[in-house]
Each structure stands twice: as structure tokens, then as C-alpha cells.
């Protein structure tokens, strides 16, 4: 599979808007990605938002198909990052997210000096749970109704991966 990870570029805005505005893609995205997601939102994300933490575009065969991001913790959680990702719907089910997460995890453990990478995932998000498990993350805990999105509370799992 031809997966590559790269930084965002100015020319990515239109494609980012297209992917982020698909309701089945955005249903589990963090609120930093507003809905609807406008061209102004994309321009801000590319110039500013994607510059904090570590953010990459996921390309499959040279096509921008998604993104992956890790944000550093602070204080007592300084050596751990939170990871999140999304893939354009037509590319689901091809192992792209798993391969991208595996590449990204390896990159972070080699370059960022972290000990723990973790994801918070909606319990209903079976596809993301499978991605995390295939990429070597293991379920650590389950939280009650702690995620609030679209006027509703959701439960979450926490999936960490430790530096080996």
C-alpha cells in the first residue's frame, strides 16, 4: 500500500473542506472541526491549527485521503500525546487508517521523546476501535457519559500505546 504522511500545504484547503463536511466522517471528529466546515476554517487549520502538536496529511497513492494528529500533554502528562485521525469515506475499509496510524506512531516514538500515545474513542465508533487494535493500541479503560457532541452524551474508551 502506498501510504505517505506529509504536512499540510496551502493547496489542501478545498480537499479538506470536502472531507470534513461529510457527516459520516465528521460525526466523531473533535469540535475543533466545526460543522459545517468552511473554506475559512480550512485556511485557518492549514496556517495555524495544524501547526501545534504534530499533524500530517494522509496520502494514498498520492491522493489526500485524510489526516492524523497528535497533541502533547502538559504537566504530569508531558510525555504522552493524544492522537486522532480521519479518512475520507470512499477510502474506508482499505487498511489506510491502520497503516497511517502505525507509521505515525513509529515516527512519534522515534522523534518526539514520548512514552505514551493514546486515543479517546467513542464506544460506538467500531471502525476506529479496530484501527487502534490493529495498530497495537490496547483498551485501557471505559469512561461513562463524558463526551458531549451534537446535544448528546457519549461514552468513551481510552486506547494507549506505550513505547516498547
Amino acid at each position: 500500500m502506498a501510504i505517505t504522511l506529509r504536512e499540510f500545504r496551502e493547496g489542501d484547503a478545498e480537499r479538506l473542506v470536502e472531507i470534513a463536511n461529510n457527516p459520516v466522517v465528521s460525526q466523531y471528529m473533535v469540535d475543533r472541526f466545526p460543522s459545517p466546515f468552511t473554506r475559512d476554517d480550512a485556511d485557518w487549520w492549514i496556517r495555524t491549527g495544524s501547526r501545534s502538536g504534530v499533524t500530517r496529511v494522509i496520502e494514498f497513492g498520492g491522493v489526500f485521503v485524510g489526516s492524523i494528529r497528535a497533541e502533547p500533554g502538559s504537566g504530569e502528562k508531558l510525555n504522552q500525546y493524544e492522537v486522532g485521525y480521519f479518512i475520507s469515506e470512499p477510502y474506508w475499509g482499505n487498511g489506510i487508517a491502520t497503516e497511517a496510524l502505525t507509521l505515525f506512531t513509529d515516527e512519534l516514538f522515534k522523534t518526539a521523546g514520548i512514552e505514551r500515545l493514546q486515543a479517546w474513542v467513542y464506544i460506538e465508533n467500531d471502525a476506529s476501535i479496530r484501527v487502534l487494535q490493529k495498530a497495537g493500541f490496547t483498551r485501557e479503560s471505559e469512561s461513562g457519559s463524558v463526551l458531549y457532541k451534537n446535544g448528546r452524551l457519549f461514552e468513551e474508551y481510552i486506547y494507549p500505546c506505550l513505547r516498547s
Side-chain angles (χ1 to χ4, degrees):
M1 197 176 310
I3 299 290
T4 56
L5 303 177
R6 65 164 174 83
E7 293 192 12
F8 272 94
R9 301 187 289 241
E10 290 295 322
D12 291 329
E14 187 175 314
R15 180 71 173 138
L16 179 57
V17 169
E18 178 186 348
I19 296 169
N21 276 320
N22 181 333
V24 297
V25 172
S26 65
Q27 69 181 328
Y28 297 119
M29 283 182 162
V30 296
D31 286 341
R32 272 183 229 103
F33 274 81
S35 183
F37 192 81
T38 67
R39 176 60 189 254
D40 286 343
D41 294 325
D43 289 339
W44 176 86
W45 180 254
I46 290 167
R47 288 190 195 119
T48 307
S50 70
R51 302 296 176 212
S52 67
V54 181
T55 306
R56 301 284 184 264
V57 166
I58 302 167
E59 287 189 341
F60 175 67
V63 177
F64 172 175
V65 299
S67 183
I68 190 163
R69 172 180 175 79
E71 287 189 40
S74 61
E76 293 83 0
K77 296 184 178 184
L78 186 59
N79 289 330
Q80 57 185 296
Y81 280 38
E82 173 189 351
V83 67
Y85 46 85
F86 61 88
I87 300 291
S88 177
E89 185 180 14
Y91 294 90
W92 289 2
N94 293 306
I96 295 169
T98 301
E99 185 173 339
L101 180 57
T102 301
L103 288 170
F104 193 62
T105 299
D106 291 345
E107 175 188 337
L108 289 171
F109 282 142
K110 287 177 185 169
T111 63
I114 63 171
E115 297 298 322
R116 177 183 168 106
L117 184 61
Q118 62 188 11
W120 288 263
V121 61
Y122 290 79
I123 286 177
E124 294 88 354
N125 193 347
D126 294 331
S128 191
I129 290 168
R130 283 191 304 277
V131 166
L132 289 162
Q133 291 170 339
K134 289 178 184 177
F137 288 66
T138 55
R139 190 169 92 198
E140 179 180 79
S141 63
E142 176 180 334
S143 298
S145 298
V146 296
L147 301 173
Y148 187 77
K149 185 162 177 121
N150 298 326
R152 185 174 159 215
L153 282 169
F154 294 88
E155 295 180 40
E156 71 175 353
Y157 290 135
I158 298 174
Y159 273 83
C161 181
L162 303 175
R163 178 192 298 273
S164 50

